[in-house]
Amino acid sequence: MKLYAPSTIRDIKERYGFKLSKSLGQNFLTDKNIIDRIVESAGIGPEDLVIEIGPGIGVITREAAEYAKKVVAVEIDSNLIPILEETLGDCDNVEVVNRDILKTDVNEIIRNCGENFSGVKVIGNLPYYITTPIIMKLLEDGVNADSITIMMQKEVADRIKAAPGTKAYGALSVAVQYYCTVEAVVNVPKDVFVPQPKVDSTVLRLRIMEEKSVELADRDVFFSCVKAGFGQRRKTLLNSLMGIENITKEGVRQALEAAGIDPSRRAETLNLEEFARLSNEIYSML
């Protein structure tokens, strides 16, 4: 049975009386080549544990199960659970968990699976409306995984992988690039989904760095600095960084000078290393 075939998806929907939920951003992938690219780019090995976010009817899940030692699929929609029990019934290395990923301790799932895995890979086709919260939750929670390979709205992917000085570069770019190296896998046209979304998608592979590329005196101050800088991105750093609590304009000026950064520059021109240097100087003044 080709789960990705539109006729199969139609048949499953009819037999189970399943209605796709717009509120959950449900769009099922129908292109086998894209499915293969997602699983291959994740680098799943025979001793790996895979955590899948939003399995839908199990299209990517089945493919991942062929390569992995175990797959745990986290699905929020309880109406999909009986469907997944059918479509994945012959996969003895797959476990389906009916939970909201944003309210789930992924590290607890990993721990409960035991320690006999060589690596952990996170994969998924993320609902567009909560892509950023899911990614940042995984990274801020310190998910014990090697990488996160996920499909998302192309516009969000462009922001995540953007370089300094570009229009797409912003707080999300800096945040994800602090935790990960970012690799674009493939662009996905909207016409390979059922139902068809209004925008195209992109698959990114985020390789989580064990040792960050920059050293921070305080992570909270770093992200406060980034948030303030991009919160008023048309303003110069001297003015936008006034949004940081307990710092004066003169303090901002001194921090910029100590970090070797021109006060007239804007946040979008700073690279990760410059943000780190600046936030470390600000931290020393608080």
Side-chain angles (χ1 to χ4, degrees), residues 31-68:
D31 189 310
K32 181 65 161 59
N33 291 326
I34 301 298
I35 296 164
D36 290 342
R37 288 291 298 275
I38 293 171
V39 173
E40 289 167 8
S41 62
I44 301 167
E47 297 301 316
D48 283 341
L49 168 65
V50 172
I51 307 294
E52 183 186 9
I53 301 169
I57 61 171
V59 172
I60 299 173
T61 323
R62 285 192 68 90
E63 191 71 17
E66 292 186 17
Y67 293 88

